[in-house]
């Protein structure tokens, strides 16, 4: 089962890259798509992490689908990609989906209610299976995403388990990473 899941993840990642390549060819030129293929073929990061059963891998694939959705001018593809990337993938990656959310809102100001409706449908559809599986495996109605946020953001657990640092520590280290 484990290797089957890894194969499915690799296939979905390949389809995401194919959809981005196709969108680049349609939006710009087939030469741009060929350059993307060359760069993508030699980037070991996406190749290795595509099938690495990690939440950030799901978020990476969702981000690729969102980029293809922007190039195809497909708001629903961007909404579904962002919702699935945050719920089934890594909720912390939600920050990286903010530009896509702004694009959706900016590109369709007249369809604001329809956009929020599509977001709500995608969110309920994505959270449904997660809540049901949490119920089956944990024995009570839980939402692991809510527990994650409560523990890490709100401080509902033993936050000092891994060390507690002031905000300036994270600011200094974040700036250090940009050098």
């Amino acid at each position: 089962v484990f290797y089957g899941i890894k194969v499915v993840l690799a296939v979905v990642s390949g389809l995401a890259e194919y959809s981005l390549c196709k969108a680049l060819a349609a939006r710009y030129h087939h030469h741009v798509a060929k350059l993307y293929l060359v760069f993508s073929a030699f980037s070991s990061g996406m190749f290795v992490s595509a099938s690495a059963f990690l939440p950030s891998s799901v978020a990476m694939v969702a981000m690729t689908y969102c980029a293809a959705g922007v190039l195809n001018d497909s708001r629903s593809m961007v909404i579904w990609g962002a919702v699935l990337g945050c719920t089934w993938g890594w909720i912390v990656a939600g920050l990286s989906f903010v530009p896509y959310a702004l694009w959706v809102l900016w590109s369709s100001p007249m369809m604001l209610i329809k956009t929020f409706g599509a977001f709500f449908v995608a969110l309920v559809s994505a959270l449904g299976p997660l809540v049901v599986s949490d119920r089956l495996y944990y024995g009570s109605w839980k939402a692991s995403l809510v527990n994650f946020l409560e523990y890490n953001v709100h401080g509902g657990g033993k936050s000092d388990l891994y060390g507690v640092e002031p905000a300036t520590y994270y600011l200094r280290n974040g700036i250090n990473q940009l050098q």
Side-chain angles (χ1 to χ4, degrees), residues 17 33-48:
E17 291 191 50
K34 287 180 184 177
L35 281 172
Y36 169 74
L37 279 177
V38 168
F39 291 134
S40 181
F42 291 106
S43 70
S44 60
M46 282 187 76
F47 176 76
V48 170

Coordinates of all heavy atoms in Angstrom, one line a residue, residues 17 33-48:
E17 N 2.9 18.8 -13.5 CA 4.0 19.4 -14.3 C 3.6 19.4 -15.8 O 3.9 20.4 -16.5 CB 5.3 18.6 -14.1 CG 5.9 18.9 -12.7 CD 7.3 18.4 -12.6 OE1 8.1 18.7 -13.4 OE2 7.5 17.6 -11.6
A33 N 7.8 26.5 -23.0 CA 7.4 25.2 -22.5 C 8.6 24.2 -22.5 O 8.8 23.4 -21.6 CB 6.2 24.6 -23.1
K34 N 9.3 24.2 -23.6 CA 10.5 23.4 -23.8 C 11.5 23.7 -22.8 O 12.2 22.8 -22.2 CB 11.0 23.4 -25.2 CG 10.2 22.7 -26.2 CD 10.8 22.8 -27.6 CE 9.8 22.2 -28.6 NZ 10.4 22.4 -30.0
L35 N 11.7 25.0 -22.5 CA 12.7 25.4 -21.5 C 12.3 25.0 -20.2 O 13.1 24.5 -19.4 CB 12.9 27.0 -21.5 CG 13.7 27.6 -22.6 CD1 13.6 29.1 -22.6 CD2 15.2 27.1 -22.4
Y36 N 11.0 25.1 -19.9 CA 10.5 24.6 -18.6 C 10.8 23.1 -18.5 O 11.2 22.6 -17.4 CB 9.0 24.9 -18.4 CG 8.4 24.1 -17.3 CD1 8.7 24.6 -16.0 CD2 7.6 23.0 -17.5 CE1 8.1 23.9 -14.9 CE2 7.1 22.3 -16.4 CZ 7.3 22.8 -15.1 OH 6.8 22.1 -14.0
L37 N 10.6 22.3 -19.5 CA 10.8 20.9 -19.5 C 12.3 20.6 -19.2 O 12.6 19.7 -18.4 CB 10.4 20.2 -20.8 CG 8.9 19.9 -21.0 CD1 8.7 19.4 -22.4 CD2 8.5 19.0 -19.9
V38 N 13.2 21.4 -19.8 CA 14.6 21.1 -19.6 C 15.0 21.4 -18.1 O 15.6 20.7 -17.5 CB 15.5 22.0 -20.6 CG1 16.9 22.0 -20.2 CG2 15.3 21.5 -22.0
F39 N 14.5 22.6 -17.6 CA 14.8 23.0 -16.3 C 14.2 22.0 -15.3 O 14.7 21.6 -14.3 CB 14.3 24.4 -15.9 CG 15.1 25.4 -16.6 CD1 14.5 26.5 -17.3 CD2 16.5 25.4 -16.6 CE1 15.2 27.5 -17.9 CE2 17.2 26.4 -17.3 CZ 16.6 27.4 -17.9
S40 N 13.0 21.5 -15.6 CA 12.3 20.6 -14.7 C 12.9 19.2 -14.7 O 13.0 18.5 -13.7 CB 10.8 20.5 -15.2 OG 10.1 19.6 -14.3
A41 N 13.4 18.8 -15.9 CA 14.1 17.5 -16.0 C 15.3 17.4 -15.2 O 15.7 16.4 -14.7 CB 14.4 17.2 -17.5
F42 N 16.0 18.5 -15.0 CA 17.3 18.5 -14.3 C 17.2 19.1 -12.9 O 18.2 19.2 -12.2 CB 18.3 19.3 -15.1 CG 18.8 18.6 -16.3 CD1 18.4 19.1 -17.5 CD2 19.6 17.5 -16.3 CE1 18.7 18.5 -18.7 CE2 19.9 16.8 -17.4 CZ 19.5 17.3 -18.6
S43 N 15.9 19.3 -12.4 CA 15.8 19.7 -11.0 C 15.5 18.5 -10.2 O 14.4 17.9 -10.3 CB 14.7 20.8 -10.9 OG 13.4 20.2 -11.1
S44 N 16.4 18.1 -9.4 CA 16.2 16.9 -8.6 C 15.3 17.1 -7.4 O 14.7 16.1 -6.9 CB 17.6 16.4 -8.1 OG 18.2 17.4 -7.3
G45 N 15.0 18.3 -7.0 CA 14.2 18.6 -5.9 C 12.8 18.1 -6.1 O 12.2 17.4 -5.2
M46 N 12.1 18.5 -7.2 CA 10.8 18.1 -7.4 C 10.7 16.6 -7.7 O 9.7 15.9 -7.4 CB 10.2 18.9 -8.6 CG 9.7 20.3 -8.2 SD 8.9 21.2 -9.4 CE 7.2 20.4 -9.4
F47 N 11.7 16.1 -8.4 CA 11.7 14.6 -8.7 C 11.8 13.8 -7.4 O 11.0 12.8 -7.3 CB 13.0 14.3 -9.6 CG 13.1 12.9 -9.9 CD1 12.3 12.3 -10.8 CD2 14.0 12.1 -9.3 CE1 12.4 10.9 -11.1 CE2 14.2 10.8 -9.6 CZ 13.4 10.2 -10.5
V48 N 12.6 14.2 -6.5 CA 12.8 13.4 -5.3 C 11.5 13.6 -4.4 O 11.0 12.6 -3.8 CB 14.1 13.8 -4.5 CG1 14.1 13.2 -3.2 CG2 15.3 13.3 -5.4

